[in-house]
Amino acid sequence: MNGARRIAGATVVLAVLAVPPWLLTTLTRAHLPGWPTSAHLRDWLTDPLTPATLATGLIAVAWLLWLGMAYTITVTAARRLHAGARWVRHLPLPTPWQAAATSIAGAAALTTAHTPTTHPPNPPTPVTADELQHPSATPQTEQGGVVVPGGWLPDDTAHHIAAAAALVWLRRRRAHQPGQRDTDATQLTPLPTTVTAVQAAIADQPPPPAATTGATQAPLPPAGIRLAGDGADHAARGLLITRLLTALRDPTDTTPVIITSNTLARLLPGIAETAATIPGLHVIDTLEQATALLPASRTSATVDHGIPSLVLTAEPATPAPPNLPGACVVTLDAAAPLPAWRVDHHGHTVDHQTGQPRPRMCVLDSVAAADLLAVLARPASAAPDPVASVPARPIDPVQAKIPRQATRVTPPTPQQPTEAAATAVQLRVLGRPALLIDSKEVTIRRSAALQILVFLAVHPDGATTTQLVHALWPGLPAHTVTGRLYTTLSDLRSTIRATSADQVVVHTEDRYHLDPRTDVDLWRLQAAAHHSATTDAPGSWQAVIDAYRGDLAAGHTWPWIDPPREATRRLVLDAHTTAAAAQTDPHERLRLFQAAIRIDPYNQQLHQLAADQLNALGDSAAAADLLHAHRQRLRLAGILDQPMITAR
């Protein structure tokens, strides 16, 4: 566009300079026979206002105007040319060294067979415990990863950690015994910080394909490897965690992960007592003891897949090839005669012999690794099997309440279930979350704003800025995302202000909380449960059942949501079993058990109670089908015939 304008301007200038002289010369040639003589001057002085003299004067004026215009154009062009020449003189010209370097780079570019690009080269490929290649192999393409406090994980490893965390909650749901007091205080304990940080980081990412739900079964380096550098210990922990994910996800894979006790104490101090509860992990004192473990692990499936056992040690790995067949030894011993990879704290790896970059490795410090092991470990003994003959006990009033955090702000008083809602603002968090004003749903533009509303509904006593930041963005320093929180709250208030004059989120002292006048369905459910537990009136638990419209924030996978979601679900399951225990009609009792199963299809005791009720009604075939379907569901989830574990 600028070039076209410049061409058009130059054409106009040339036309202005050339056309007027041509016209004056062509049209006035007859009126100007030649230069004036002395006779012409005497005639003009005698009679100056003749037609000939007037025409000559007008022609002279026209030429003077054209000369002035040509002068102006010429001077302007000369000034611009002068300014351009001055700018060129001030250009920083390359020095002889710079010119030489540029010439060499140009020659290399011309002789290199690749397509030039403006993007930087890809960093080394991320690698998991089962994706290590021999040092002579070519690095794969970078696939991205997740940064957590104390380490870095490849994307696939992060998804495997999230899947392991989901299994923890499924096992807790399976083990819960509705209607009875929970004796395990860890059943509703939130998962460790590193796990929630991983969950938050991959919340918006698609899960890996079904074929890679376990760790990738790529062969480990056959001759073993020696890890060196500042990140050697961090990389060893990453190898340990990644390989243990395989044993957790696929229990049929009997390939062990063997580690010496000295190495375990070095990498994970204080974890030796719980090492026996981690599936697939074997702790030995010397490398010679690994020989007795390896033959038992070389099953046909292992041989077919070519998955060597991982032996992690800090002792010299010299006897590994003759004494540990089928195992890949990863050592931290600086004197081990094995190919060495130097690893930094970020997982970037370089072959020590060739200097070539190697695949990026998962790196974890001791705290992060211990957090991740919490979702892999299992208790020393399995939870007792549910017994149908044990009658359901009434729910304890303390259990009926959803846990709340301590606060200095007076908590809002939830409305009773029979009380008419007097407010025009309604917040629905059971099922799909929604904010309604005058029965019309408000469009909330930011997902973090919706998350804040649900969090404050779960914590009616309110939350500080730090608590909100840690819940919404775990793993990030609070001061780096506080501005994001303020922006989200401001946008939420603006959205609500455009619809109603009422304030939904109120800031009192140093805490944010929902306006107590807001009609929150979770508060109604809690009030109904408290009323039923304290009065124990017949049929009072039906109000709790009616108030439940679905899982808390159904469809959302926020890292903090699992404990309150499970607490709310257990509250309703206890209401079903308590109401069923008070029923005299066996068909109504069966209906309540079946309704509870629809709420939690993984709970083992509910299926056993429903099957016993079907047997009592004479429908043994339906009871067998119910238990078979339950076992199939547990098998598909990966928790069948496994001890019910809890994260510490």
Side-chain angles (χ1 to χ4, degrees):
M1 183 63 68
N2 291 334
R5 290 180 178 177
R6 291 179 179 178
I7 294 175
T11 303
V12 171
V13 171
L14 291 176
V16 170
L17 291 177
V19 172
W22 177 78
L23 289 175
L24 290 173
T25 303
T26 303
L27 297 177
T28 64
R29 183 178 302 170
H31 299 280
L32 295 176
W35 291 100
T37 63
S38 58
H40 292 155
L41 292 176
R42 285 194 300 267
D43 293 340
W44 179 77
L45 292 175
T46 304
D47 188 5
L49 297 179
T50 62
T53 57
L54 290 176
T56 302
L58 291 176
I59 293 172
V61 170
W63 277 104
L64 291 175
L65 291 175
W66 175 82
L67 288 174
M69 183 172 56
Y71 173 80
T72 303
I73 293 175
T74 303
V75 171
T76 303
R79 288 177 178 175
R80 291 185 177 181
L81 289 175
H82 179 71
R86 184 171 52 185
W87 174 77
V88 170
R89 287 197 304 268
H90 288 81
L91 280 176
L93 297 178
T95 63
W97 286 107
Q98 292 172 333
T102 304
S103 301
I104 295 173
L110 290 175
T111 57
T112 303
H114 79 288
T115 301
T117 177
T118 57
H119 300 285
N122 290 330
T125 307
V127 65
T128 59
D130 296 319
E131 292 176 335
L132 277 177
Q133 302 177 4
H134 192 270
S136 61
T138 302
Q140 300 177 6
T141 305
E142 172 71 8
Q143 299 175 352
V146 173
V147 178
V148 296
W152 179 89
L153 302 90
D155 280 336
D156 55 350
T157 303
H159 282 285
H160 300 154
I161 290 294
L167 290 180
V168 170
W169 287 105
L170 287 181
R171 293 189 183 96
R172 290 178 176 182
R173 291 171 61 177
R174 175 193 176 192
H176 174 61
Q177 299 185 27
Q180 302 184 28
R181 179 185 293 273
D182 287 330
T183 57
D184 189 354
T186 65
Q187 283 294 300
L188 296 178
T189 302
L191 298 182
T193 304
T194 306
V195 179
T196 57
V198 171
Q199 291 176 310
I202 65 172
D204 298 329
Q205 298 181 11
T212 60
T213 47
T216 306
Q217 305 297 329
L220 292 170
I225 200 75
R226 176 171 66 88
L227 298 179
D230 296 336
D233 287 8
H234 293 64
R237 297 185 193 97
L239 289 172
L240 180 65
I241 294 296
T242 309
R243 191 57 184 272
L244 288 175
L245 286 171
T246 305
L248 176 71
R249 187 66 190 181
D250 187 9
T252 61
D253 181 8
T254 55
T255 304
V257 180
I258 304 172
I259 186 172
T260 59
S261 56
N262 292 336
T263 307
L264 182 63
R266 169 178 170 175
L267 298 179
L268 296 166
I271 203 72
E273 296 181 357
T274 59
T277 66
I278 302 175
L281 181 62
H282 301 270
V283 182
I284 58 176
D285 293 328
T286 62
L287 286 177
E288 287 72 16
Q289 297 176 355
T291 307
L293 298 173
L294 291 175
S297 68
R298 299 296 292 169
T299 62
S300 59
T302 303
V303 174
D304 293 339
H305 289 293
I307 308 170
S309 302
L310 175 65
V311 178
L312 192 57
T313 177
E315 283 76 16
T318 304
N323 295 340
L324 301 177
C328 174
V329 178
V330 178
T331 181
L332 300 174
D333 178 52
L338 290 173
W341 284 6
R342 288 198 169 275
V343 190
D344 62 14
H345 284 289
H346 302 287
H348 299 291
T349 310
V350 176
D351 192 317
H352 182 61
Q353 282 73 25
T354 65
Q356 296 296 322
R358 294 288 89 196
R360 189 176 182 182
M361 300 179 65
C362 175
V363 285
L364 300 167
D365 64 10
S366 58
V367 177
D371 285 351
L372 298 183
L373 283 177
V375 299
L376 305 180
R378 63 189 180 194
S381 60
D385 293 333
V387 181
S389 59
V390 178
R393 303 174 185 173
I395 299 178
D396 187 81
V398 178
Q399 282 187 283
K401 295 183 179 181
I402 298 176
R404 300 178 181 178
Q405 59 188 30
T407 178
R408 293 173 292 164
V409 181
T410 303
T413 303
Q415 300 177 6
Q416 295 297 328
T418 58
E419 181 181 345
T423 179
V425 181
Q426 299 174 325
L427 179 60
R428 300 289 175 258
V429 297
L430 298 177
R432 184 181 67 86
L435 178 65
L436 296 90
I437 297 179
D438 295 331
S439 301
K440 295 182 180 179
E441 184 173 349
V442 178
T443 301
I444 300 177
R445 295 184 293 267
R446 296 174 179 262
S447 59
L450 182 64
Q451 192 174 172
I452 290 173
L453 290 175
V454 179
F455 187 86
L456 295 180
V458 172
H459 301 82
D461 300 338
T464 63
T465 300
T466 302
Q467 290 170 335
L468 284 173
V469 166
H470 287 167
L472 271 63
W473 299 286
L476 298 178
H479 67 277
T480 62
V481 288
T482 302
R484 192 186 308 180
L485 174 66
Y486 294 153
T487 302
T488 302
L489 288 171
S490 177
D491 181 78
L492 176 61
R493 287 168 174 163
S494 300
T495 302
I496 297 174
R497 194 181 302 114
T499 309
S500 173
D502 296 333
Q503 293 186 8
V504 178
V505 178
V506 183
H507 188 259
T508 305
E509 295 182 2
D510 62 340
R511 304 178 72 85
Y512 294 95
H513 60 88
L514 296 178
D515 190 332
R517 297 172 298 175
T518 306
D519 179 19
V520 183
D521 55 356
L522 179 62
W523 296 355
R524 286 179 167 272
L525 175 68
Q526 178 181 350
H530 178 74
H531 174 74
S532 300
T534 53
T535 60
D536 200 20
S540 60
W541 288 106
Q542 187 62 41
V544 181
I545 298 173
D546 295 339
Y548 187 73
R549 300 297 181 183
D551 285 344
L552 179 65
H556 294 277
T557 57
W558 303 321
W560 60 270
I561 196 66
D562 284 318
R565 176 181 289 166
E566 179 63 16
T568 306
R569 183 187 293 116
R570 293 185 178 189
L571 188 66
V572 181
L573 295 181
D574 291 347
H576 280 82
T577 53
T578 304
Q583 280 291 334
T584 57
D585 183 0
H587 292 87
E588 181 63 20
R589 186 181 301 117
L590 176 62
R591 186 194 66 80
L592 288 170
F593 288 147
Q594 292 173 334
I597 289 175
R598 285 191 291 270
I599 295 175
D600 191 353
Y602 295 96
N603 187 268
Q604 185 167 332
Q605 176 165 299
L606 288 175
H607 284 80
Q608 189 63 55
L609 292 174
D612 291 345
Q613 192 62 44
L614 286 170
N615 287 326
L617 293 173
D619 196 349
S620 58
D625 291 342
L626 179 66
L627 294 179
H628 176 72
H630 180 236
R631 290 179 60 84
Q632 288 294 105
R633 183 176 292 108
L634 296 181
R635 180 179 291 108
L636 291 175
I639 57 174
L640 181 64
D641 299 330
Q642 294 184 23
M644 289 166 278
I645 71 173
T646 57
R648 290 175 295 280

